[in-house]
Amino acid sequence: MGLHLAELPVAPGHPALPSGLRGADRMTAARDRDRYRELMLRTVSWLIRAGAYGLIGVDVFLRASLGPVALPVTVTAYALCGILLVVCAAVIKRSGTAPALPVLLGLITAVSAGVCAQEDVTSLVALGVIAVMDAGTEARLTAAWAVFGGGVVAAEVGALLTDASPAKALGIPLLLMLGLLAGFNRRAYRLRADQSAALLAQSEELRARSEELRAEQRRGAVLDERTRIAREIHDVLAHSIGALGIQIQAARALLADTPDVERADGVLAVAQRMASDGLTETRRAVHALRTDMLPLDEELARMTATHEQRHGTPVALRVDGGPVPLPPDQTLALVRTAQESLVNAAKHAPHQPVTLTLTYGDDNVTMSIANPLGAAAAHGFATLDGGYGLTGMRERLLLLGGTLTAGAADGKRWTVTATVPR
């Protein structure tokens, strides 16, 4: 009778909450487990009541010597309490705490307490104690006190009618008070258990939401990584294929104007070497750029030297301020911007000198690539893919908190300026 949901162990064959479940599945499994334990609690509780009811009947009718008046009164009271207990069980099973429940418990308490004032019928008060305990647990506080008060009044009236001893007249209310206090204790324990269950449900819900958020973050990270690798492949291919196209165009021009096979072969050899370098750079991008890069000023120096060798175009590199180490993503963004800008310069302004200026400021690092506009680009300039190169470079820098500007000054020089924070 004093059992509670949190005290009942999980029965064999009923699995504990699986650790692999997540979100709504875990909450559903927890609710199913609680329903099972609640059912077991009710079953055990009413089996205990039935056993107590039978033991009380054995004690009263086999050990007590009742007179011709006391016997029918006691039998009637005992049977009535049994019927009321069955009705209480049906009410609790159907609707939980119903308004009729305190009335039923009050009748059990009053009948058992009033009749047990007789000699040799003391054990019948246990039914009243059970009823008062249930009232203290299930009913409102005022209703519980009313059930207790009704039992005390019935006990005192029975004591007066049967001329019971003062010890019995005082002992029955004390027993009922102990039952009421036990009921209040069960009520407090149940409230704490319900609060713990509510907190557990909230934590499960928060955990489910957290798992969903982490899953979204993982999906977002995967998409960001795919976008980053796609951007790297685009930049590498734009640089390599653009430079390769320039070399092939030069070879065709040599074969068309003056059939200089030797010079054309040299140009094609350079194109072949550029294609091989482009494949190497593409593999590097596919592997998420896990290879270490040189410092930015050294990478730009290597790049300008390669550009001069391939295209025969002078490139002046100037570094202002003391070089400082930059994060790999910032270094890579500036390197890719310089690569595409140099290829664009070779395509749209061939053999025109290029100036690359790298400035280390207090708060940011700025890189500027400038070259005179060639005759073909005097009336309009675009990147290799019709604008997507500039867009890709700008997006890359925006993700790092940087900026990119590109345009012609006075229609004479094309300048690309990229800035990243330190």
Side-chain angles (χ1 to χ4, degrees):
M1 290 174 292
L3 293 175
H4 187 263
L5 178 62
E7 302 174 35
L8 192 65
V10 178
H14 182 74
L17 186 62
S19 59
L21 295 180
R22 293 182 178 180
D25 292 336
R26 182 186 288 120
M27 296 177 67
T28 301
R31 285 195 296 266
D32 292 340
R33 182 192 60 184
D34 291 341
R35 292 193 194 100
Y36 173 81
R37 297 178 69 178
E38 183 67 24
L39 177 62
M40 292 296 297
L41 169 66
R42 291 181 180 178
T43 302
V44 172
S45 179
W46 285 104
L47 285 175
I48 293 175
R49 283 175 170 82
Y53 183 76
L55 291 176
I56 291 169
V58 170
D59 182 74
V60 171
F61 296 112
L62 294 184
R63 296 176 55 187
S65 56
L66 301 175
V69 177
L71 180 60
V73 172
T74 303
V75 171
T76 302
Y78 180 78
L80 180 59
C81 288
I83 294 172
L84 292 174
L85 282 173
V86 173
V87 176
C88 285
V91 169
I92 292 175
K93 180 179 180 181
R94 184 172 184 179
S95 58
T97 304
L101 185 62
V103 177
L104 297 173
L105 295 175
L107 289 175
I108 295 172
T109 305
V111 171
S112 61
V115 174
C116 74
Q118 304 175 91
E119 293 295 333
D120 298 331
V121 195
T122 305
S123 58
L124 195 63
V125 74
L127 296 177
V129 173
I130 293 174
V132 172
M133 185 185 302
D134 288 340
T137 303
E138 304 290 346
R140 295 181 179 180
L141 293 178
T142 54
W145 282 107
V147 171
F148 167 75
V152 172
V153 171
E156 298 305 319
V157 171
L160 290 175
L161 293 178
T162 58
D163 196 19
S165 64
K168 176 169 281 194
L170 182 61
I172 294 175
L174 288 178
L175 290 175
L176 294 179
M177 176 58 72
L178 290 177
L180 184 64
L181 293 177
F184 285 161
N185 183 60
R186 286 179 61 197
R187 175 197 294 270
Y189 182 83
R190 179 171 294 180
L191 288 176
R192 290 194 298 270
D194 291 342
Q195 291 173 354
S196 299
L199 290 175
L200 179 60
Q202 291 178 358
S203 66
E204 290 291 340
E205 184 178 358
L206 290 176
R207 183 182 302 174
R209 292 180 179 177
S210 177
E211 290 176 354
E212 293 176 359
L213 179 59
R214 284 195 293 268
E216 290 293 335
Q217 290 174 343
R218 287 193 293 269
R219 284 193 290 269
V222 170
L223 291 176
D224 290 343
E225 183 68 8
R226 289 178 179 176
T227 302
R228 186 177 73 89
I229 294 175
R231 187 182 298 115
E232 294 304 324
I233 294 175
H234 163 268
D235 290 345
V236 169
L237 293 178
H239 169 73
S240 301
I241 296 176
L244 186 61
I246 295 173
Q247 294 297 318
I248 294 175
Q249 185 178 3
R252 291 182 61 188
L254 287 173
L255 293 175
D257 296 340
T258 57
D260 192 341
V261 177
E262 184 177 353
R263 291 184 58 190
D265 182 71
V267 172
L268 290 176
V270 173
Q272 182 179 5
R273 188 167 57 252
M274 293 173 63
S276 178
D277 293 342
L279 289 175
T280 302
E281 290 292 329
T282 303
R283 293 191 189 99
R284 186 182 181 187
V286 170
H287 285 84
L289 304 174
R290 291 172 181 165
T291 56
D292 294 331
M293 296 187 64
L294 295 173
L296 179 58
D297 55 334
E298 297 181 22
E299 282 282 351
L300 294 180
R302 181 185 62 82
M303 187 186 308
T304 55
T306 302
H307 186 80
E308 287 184 343
Q309 180 182 2
R310 289 178 179 176
H311 301 283
T313 301
V315 181
L317 174 63
R318 188 179 70 188
V319 179
D320 295 334
V324 295
L326 292 177
D329 52 353
Q330 293 184 345
T331 301
L332 181 61
L334 293 177
V335 167
R336 295 301 186 214
T337 301
Q339 280 181 337
E340 185 151 351
S341 299
L342 290 174
V343 171
N344 288 337
K347 179 180 180 180
H348 297 283
H351 307 296
Q352 296 293 327
V354 180
T355 302
L356 197 156
T357 305
L358 181 63
T359 304
Y360 291 94
D362 295 334
D363 301 322
N364 51 51
V365 176
T366 302
M367 182 184 67
S368 178
I369 304 98
N371 61 274
L373 289 175
H379 301 288
F381 185 86
T383 56
L384 291 176
D385 51 4
Y388 290 104
L390 282 177
T391 302
M393 289 189 291
R394 184 175 291 109
E395 289 177 353
R396 179 194 297 273
L397 292 169
L398 285 176
L399 291 175
L400 302 175
T403 59
L404 175 72
T405 59
D410 299 330
K412 296 180 180 180
R413 291 182 65 82
W414 180 266
T415 304
V416 177
T417 303
T419 303
V420 294
R422 289 182 55 177

